[in-house]
Amino acid sequence: IFILIFYFIFIIYSDFEKFFEAFVTIQFVFVPIMLLGTFVTMIIKGIRQHVMLKNLKVSLSLKNSILLYFAGSSMTLTPGGIGSVIKSYFLKKKYGINISDTFPLVFLERFHDLFAIACIITITLFFLPRFEILFLICFVFLFLIFGFIVIRSKIFFLLIKKFFAKLPKINSIFESIDESYDGFNLLTKPRITIQSWILSIIAWIVDAIVIFLVFSSFNLNFDFILTTLITHSSFLLGNLSIIPAGLGITEITTTGFLVQEGIELSLATSIVVIIRLVTTWFATIIGLITTRFYLK
């Protein structure tokens, strides 16, 4: 309901009549290709998850790993995407694997997504320097480096365990945090980190191609570097927030960038809505459908 209200206000603000006129100019022949691209992105991330699970000594077929990733995508609409931890529940329910053994997976997936997006944006900045985006990237890299060091620290986990030991009602959740530390430690080893990073880069490049096709479908002569810089910077801001799916931040930031590039507000709004439909919301729908059958 909140999402529908937001998009209603978002579209009305840009002038609904002009928005509709701009929206119908899209060449719908591109839409199936965009959806296929998003599907491929999800498969690549499912393969990344399979690699991580394998390193956690979780024996799952590649097919089931990909389906599990799809099911986790149903929880994209949770703050920071943290609802994807539901995958650990699925593994517990279907295969009897302890939740504490696998929940580090979700945090490392978020880490690699942010890291890959930041790396791709850094490359685009060599061609299209933007000071404000460079500042954001520097902050993100510092944040990620700090986070990486922290999750590999045994002291950090012991401090968390000690803190929650004073809260009996929720302490049971953190009783097995030592086992989770082992998972974090395994998933942050050099070999698995490099493998996950490469797969993440490939996935987000495919996503960038999908977005470029959105611009092409509106007959806009924007090059690939520019469309990637604009949209991935917005995605990065949205992913850093705790707002579900970065709702609002991603849309408003992308629209602002497009208006700066000389695109009329109504057309910019149409582009943003299409981008979200063929990426985030399409992935969420696939996740919801998969979850319905995955729990059987």
Side-chain angles (χ1 to χ4, degrees), residues 111 115 138-153 156 188:
F111 171 86
F115 188 39
C138 289
F139 168 78
V140 170
F141 277 127
L142 288 173
F143 172 75
L144 292 175
I145 291 170
F146 175 75
F148 190 82
I149 293 171
V150 166
I151 61 177
R152 284 189 62 84
S153 170
F156 172 72
T188 52

Side-chain angles (χ1 to χ4, degrees), residues 246-265:
L247 184 68
I249 293 178
T250 301
E251 284 82 357
I252 293 170
T253 305
T254 306
T255 303
F257 280 135
L258 293 176
V259 170
Q260 285 182 359
E261 294 298 325
I263 294 181
E264 188 178 347
L265 178 60

Side-chain angles (χ1 to χ4, degrees), residues 205-219:
I205 287 176
V206 174
D207 195 73
I209 293 171
V210 170
I211 291 165
F212 176 72
L213 290 174
V214 173
F215 282 83
S216 298
S217 69
F218 281 98
N219 293 311

Side-chain angles (χ1 to χ4, degrees), residues 96-195:
I97 300 168
N98 291 333
I99 291 177
S100 59
D101 291 340
T102 59
F103 92 81
L105 168 74
V106 175
F107 291 91
L108 267 299
E109 284 180 327
R110 299 294 293 173
F111 171 86
H112 282 293
D113 281 335
L114 289 173
F115 188 39
I117 296 173
C119 288
I120 291 171
I121 293 173
T122 300
I123 294 172
T124 65
L125 287 172
F126 281 103
F127 300 93
L128 293 171
R130 299 286 180 91
F131 176 77
E132 67 279 12
I133 296 178
L134 178 60
F135 179 79
L136 170 66
I137 292 301
C138 289
F139 168 78
V140 170
F141 277 127
L142 288 173
F143 172 75
L144 292 175
I145 291 170
F146 175 75
F148 190 82
I149 293 171
V150 166
I151 61 177
R152 284 189 62 84
S153 170
K154 184 72 171 179
I155 296 173
F156 172 72
F157 282 84
L158 291 174
L159 287 173
I160 291 179
K161 191 171 185 177
K162 184 178 180 181
F163 174 77
F164 284 104
K166 301 175 182 177
L167 305 172
K169 291 185 178 180
I170 61 174
N171 181 48
S172 58
I173 301 174
F174 293 89
E175 285 180 348
S176 303
I177 199 165
D178 291 334
E179 297 173 23
S180 297
Y181 168 75
D182 293 335
F184 278 111
N185 195 44
L186 284 170
L187 294 180
T188 52
K189 287 186 175 180
R191 182 176 60 84
I192 179 63
T193 297
I194 293 171
Q195 290 175 340

Side-chain angles (χ1 to χ4, degrees), residues 23-38:
F23 190 86
V24 295
T25 62
I26 187 175
Q27 298 180 51
F28 286 96
V29 68
F30 282 92
V31 174
I33 305 173
M34 299 172 198
L35 298 179
L36 177 62
T38 298

